[in-house]
Amino acid sequence: MSWQTYVDEHLMCDIEGQGQHLTAAAILGHDGSVWAQSSAFPSFKGDEINNIMKDFDEPGHLAPTGLFISGTKYMVIQGEPGAVIRGKKGAGGITIKKTGQALVIGIYEEPVTPGQCNMVVERLGDYLVEQGL
C-alpha cells in the first residue's frame, strides 16, 4: 500500500459512518520530509518540525509557546509524552502521533471532535508501529 493510500483511505476516511472527515492529514518522516498528504495540508515553516520533534524528546517543550504549523498556533493540550502531541485552536485542533520512522498528523474542525481525530490518527500510528515503521 502506498503512503498516499494510507492518507486517503485511513486518515481522510469517513469517521464513524457520519460523513465527517479530518480537514487535512499527512504522514511525514522525522526530518519533515512529506511521505504523503491530503491536498489541504499546510506546509511547515522554519523550525516548526524541529520544535515538534523536540517536544517528543522533551515533553512539555511546546507548552509555553504553542504548536505551530504554517504559522498557525495551536494550544498544546494533554497528550502522551514522547508518543502523541495534541493541540487545540478554536473549534478545531490537531493530533500528531510519532512512530519509529514517521509522524502521523491529523487536523480537524467541528463537527469532528478531538476524540474522533485522536482515534483516526492514533489507530494508524499504532498500526505503523506494529509494522516496525
Side-chain angles (χ1 to χ4, degrees), residues 16-64:
E16 298 174 4
Q18 298 176 0
Q20 300 169 2
H21 304 270
L22 297 179
T23 306
I27 301 173
L28 309 178
H30 287 178
D31 61 357
S33 60
V34 176
W35 293 7
Q37 66 183 23
S38 64
S39 59
F41 194 81
S43 57
F44 285 93
K45 295 180 179 177
D47 278 343
E48 292 175 344
I49 195 76
N50 295 334
N51 285 328
I52 290 168
M53 289 305 295
K54 186 169 184 178
D55 194 81
F56 281 117
D57 294 335
E58 301 172 23
H61 170 72
L62 290 174

Side-chain angles (χ1 to χ4, degrees), residues 8-133:
D8 296 341
E9 295 182 5
H10 297 277
L11 293 176
M12 298 302 291
C13 62
D14 181 349
I15 298 171
E16 298 174 4
Q18 298 176 0
Q20 300 169 2
H21 304 270
L22 297 179
T23 306
I27 301 173
L28 309 178
H30 287 178
D31 61 357
S33 60
V34 176
W35 293 7
Q37 66 183 23
S38 64
S39 59
F41 194 81
S43 57
F44 285 93
K45 295 180 179 177
D47 278 343
E48 292 175 344
I49 195 76
N50 295 334
N51 285 328
I52 290 168
M53 289 305 295
K54 186 169 184 178
D55 194 81
F56 281 117
D57 294 335
E58 301 172 23
H61 170 72
L62 290 174
T65 59
L67 161 68
F68 287 86
I69 292 188
S70 194
T72 300
K73 181 179 179 178
Y74 294 88
M75 179 179 68
V76 177
I77 55 178
Q78 103 291 345
E80 296 170 31
V84 179
I85 298 171
R86 298 184 183 111
K88 187 93 174 112
K89 178 183 186 304
I94 186 167
T95 302
I96 305 173
K97 169 76 176 182
K98 182 182 179 197
T99 73
Q101 300 175 28
L103 297 176
V104 180
I105 304 172
I107 298 173
Y108 68 93
E109 294 289 339
E110 283 187 336
V112 174
T113 66
Q116 289 171 321
C117 181
N118 296 343
M119 178 192 66
V120 169
V121 170
E122 294 174 38
R123 184 172 52 198
L124 179 59
D126 291 342
Y127 171 78
L128 296 177
V129 168
E130 289 169 13
Q131 301 305 307
L133 299 167

